[in-house]
């Protein structure tokens, strides 16, 4: 195991702010303690502010409607701004008397050409309308199978099934659903731009970690991420993946730490964390 250097003013796990931890769900507490055992220098960025998604007050009761809502929101928000996605969702809510429709309601909507067009007129492109219809069909026709999948299957199996059965849901979107919908704690998206940028900063501050990981790599996997800002370095995807593996089985929480490290303006990052809740 790679051992991180403790900074002079880093506290041990016993020195965590318990009031801060008590705001969060129990699994978050266990995960954060694990992260700090691996790298105590993360304490300051972790305790900068609460992690919105893991606050006790924000953890919704999981249900098929909740899962559908998360996946539908993910499709709506693809390749558009957060404001545009919020406006489209708001129009859909207005169309259905103040509530976002569930898959049973939308199944009926798609049977009526006028209502289907009205849904499209809320701001959905023809392609996204097709993606939503694919999602509706999957949930409507496979409800029991999906329940069993989400309750009993591995993360890898869930990713495989979502990508195979829902148009518009790719590996990245499926991983984000594992986090926001199923609250899985060992998800890691090495191909995410924010993760790549945060990992670049992580290695910049911890060159000894990068050096050791490079000595352990077995299969080089180049990053597909491109950027024009040469103030940070894009590392190969397998190296980013190995970095995440250091914090197994709590890689999801480490992803949130890397997202925080991806921007020097922490206010921007925290606002992004709050918007992440709507995905």
């Amino acid at each position: 195991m790679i051992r991180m250097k403790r900074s002079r003013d880093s506290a041990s796990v016993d020195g965590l702010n318990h009031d801060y931890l008590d705001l969060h769900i129990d699994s978050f507490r266990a995960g954060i303690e694990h992260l700090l055992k691996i790298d105590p220098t993360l304490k300051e960025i972790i305790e900068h502010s609460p992690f919105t998604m893991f606050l006790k007050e924000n953890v919704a009761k999981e249900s098929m409607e909740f899962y559908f809502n998360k996946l539908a929101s993910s499709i709506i928000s693809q390749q558009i701004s957060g404001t545009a996605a919020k406006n489209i969702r708001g129009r859909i809510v207005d169309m259905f008397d103040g509530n976002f429709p569930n898959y049973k309601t939308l199944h009926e909507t798609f049977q009526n050409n006028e209502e289907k067009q009205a849904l499209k007129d809320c701001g959905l492109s023809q392609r996204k309308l097709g993606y939503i219809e694919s999602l509706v069909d999957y949930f409507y026709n496979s409800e029991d199978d999906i329940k069993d999948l989400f309750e009993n299957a591995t993360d890898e199996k869930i990713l495989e099934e979502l990508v195979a059965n829902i148009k518009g849901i790719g590996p990245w979107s499926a991983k984000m659903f594992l986090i926001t919908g199923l609250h899985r704690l060992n998800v890691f998206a090495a191909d995410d731009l924010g993760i790549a940028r945060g990992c670049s900063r992580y290695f910049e501050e911890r060159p000894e970690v990068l050096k050791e990981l490079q000595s352990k790599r077995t299969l080089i996997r180049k990053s597909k991420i491109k950027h024009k800002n040469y103030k940070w370095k894009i590392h190969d995807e397998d190296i980013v993946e190995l970095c995440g593996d250091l914090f197994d089985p709590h890689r999801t929480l480490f992803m949130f730490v890397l997202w925080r490290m991806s921007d020097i303006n922490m206010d921007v990052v925290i606002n992004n964390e709050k918007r992440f809740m709507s995905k």
Side-chain angles (χ1 to χ4, degrees):
M1 176 184 292
I2 296 175
R3 297 189 179 278
M4 312 295 181
K5 294 180 180 178
R6 291 177 181 267
S7 64
R8 183 170 296 178
D9 50 11
S10 292
S12 67
V13 174
D14 293 336
L16 285 169
N17 183 322
H18 293 288
D19 290 337
Y20 167 86
L21 286 174
D22 287 343
L23 296 172
H24 300 82
I25 57 177
D26 290 343
S27 57
F28 174 89
R29 183 189 188 104
I32 290 302
E33 289 182 349
H34 178 77
L35 261 60
L36 292 177
K37 286 179 182 176
I38 303 299
D39 187 349
T41 68
L42 296 175
K43 181 178 183 292
E44 181 177 352
I45 197 167
I46 288 171
E47 289 195 335
H48 175 276
S49 55
F51 285 77
T52 304
M53 194 184 138
F54 300 98
L55 293 175
K56 292 175 181 177
E57 63 187 43
N58 288 335
V59 177
K61 183 178 181 181
E62 296 177 0
S63 66
M64 288 295 286
E65 287 75 18
F66 173 76
Y67 302 141
F68 175 79
N69 196 319
K70 286 294 183 182
L71 287 164
S73 294
S74 175
I75 290 172
I76 291 171
S77 65
Q78 289 174 2
Q79 298 180 327
I80 60 176
S81 70
T83 299
K86 183 178 180 180
N87 289 338
I88 293 171
R89 184 180 171 88
R91 295 186 201 109
I92 294 174
V93 167
D94 290 340
M95 178 179 169
F96 290 91
D97 299 323
N99 295 298
F100 192 84
N102 60 36
Y103 52 96
K104 294 177 182 178
T105 298
L106 281 176
H107 178 75
E108 296 178 4
T109 298
F110 279 108
Q111 309 310 306
N112 183 303
N113 288 334
E114 289 185 3
E115 291 184 4
K116 183 176 178 178
Q117 182 60 44
L119 181 63
K120 182 176 183 294
D121 290 343
C122 290
L124 295 171
S125 65
Q126 187 62 44
R127 177 176 292 182
K128 283 192 178 180
L129 187 70
Y131 291 166
I132 295 292
E133 187 168 13
S134 172
L135 173 64
V136 168
D137 288 345
Y138 179 49
F139 269 67
Y140 187 83
N141 296 318
S142 307
E143 186 177 271
D144 290 339
D145 290 340
I146 294 171
K147 286 180 181 177
D148 181 67
L149 178 73
F150 291 168
E151 290 175 3
N152 300 309
T154 63
D155 290 356
E156 290 73 19
K157 180 62 175 176
I158 294 172
L159 288 173
E160 177 185 327
E161 291 295 315
L162 292 179
V163 172
N165 288 289
I166 306 171
K167 294 178 181 178
I169 295 295
W172 185 88
S173 295
K175 286 182 179 180
M176 295 308 105
F177 171 73
L178 283 176
I179 297 170
T180 64
L182 299 179
H183 307 300
R184 299 299 176 93
L185 292 174
N186 201 26
V187 180
F188 194 79
D191 57 343
D192 179 87
L193 176 61
I195 296 306
R197 187 174 179 181
C199 201
S200 178
R201 183 178 170 193
Y202 186 82
F203 286 143
E204 183 180 343
E205 297 174 358
R206 300 161 181 82
E208 74 283 355
V209 177
L210 175 60
K211 183 177 180 180
E212 187 159 352
L213 290 179
Q214 288 173 330
S215 72
K216 294 178 179 297
R217 67 196 308 194
T218 56
L219 179 64
I220 296 176
R221 201 165 72 245
K222 294 293 184 181
S223 175
K224 298 181 179 64
I225 294 172
K226 307 293 182 183
H227 74 86
K228 297 180 180 180
N229 183 349
Y230 297 102
K231 292 181 180 179
W232 62 279
K233 179 181 179 180
I234 298 176
H235 293 277
D236 291 338
E237 193 171 299
D238 64 296
I239 289 292
V240 178
E241 193 79 53
L242 286 171
C243 185
D245 289 345
L246 293 174
F247 298 89
D248 181 277
H250 295 281
R251 295 181 301 162
T252 298
L253 297 182
F254 183 58
M255 276 216 304
F256 275 85
V257 170
L258 290 181
W259 276 321
R260 287 191 170 190
M261 297 183 75
S262 69
D263 198 309
I264 59 175
N265 187 336
M266 188 60 73
D267 290 336
V268 171
V269 178
I270 301 306
N271 285 334
N272 286 337
E273 286 181 8
K274 292 176 181 177
R275 285 196 291 270
F276 191 74
M277 285 287 296
S278 65
K279 291 184 179 181

